[in-house]
Amino acid sequence: EGATLVEFSVLPGERVNGGHVVGKLGNPDLEDQIAQVKADLAKAQAEAERLSGDIDTGRETVLRAEVQV
């Protein structure tokens, strides 16, 4: 699907110069998908942090066991 005009920043008859932003386009469906992907990424990063902590804990346990042997 195409973009939709979501903001129009000039008044009828108002003069504008080249390069002046007169409106903003948006794609709500695409923006929703981006938000979902960002949320999924945040969850994956949190899970990676948790697993990294589990690995560190496991290493500490092994080191303690080796010291006791």
Side-chain angles (χ1 to χ4, degrees):
E1 288 202 19
T4 302
L5 183 63
V6 294
E7 182 181 313
F8 195 66
S9 56
V10 294
L11 298 173
E14 185 177 351
R15 296 183 75 116
V16 296
N17 296 320
H20 184 93
V21 176
V22 296
K24 179 180 174 185
L25 298 175
N27 186 328
D29 292 334
L30 185 57
E31 290 167 9
D32 289 345
Q33 290 177 4
I34 291 170
Q36 183 61 52
V37 167
K38 286 181 178 180
D40 292 345
L41 175 60
K43 287 179 187 177
Q45 288 173 327
E47 180 68 3
E49 281 290 320
R50 185 188 68 76
L51 292 173
S52 179
D54 289 351
I55 289 170
D56 291 342
T57 300
R59 284 184 182 143
E60 291 172 8
T61 301
V62 168
L63 289 173
R64 274 190 243 117
E66 288 174 349
V67 168
Q68 292 176 358
V69 172

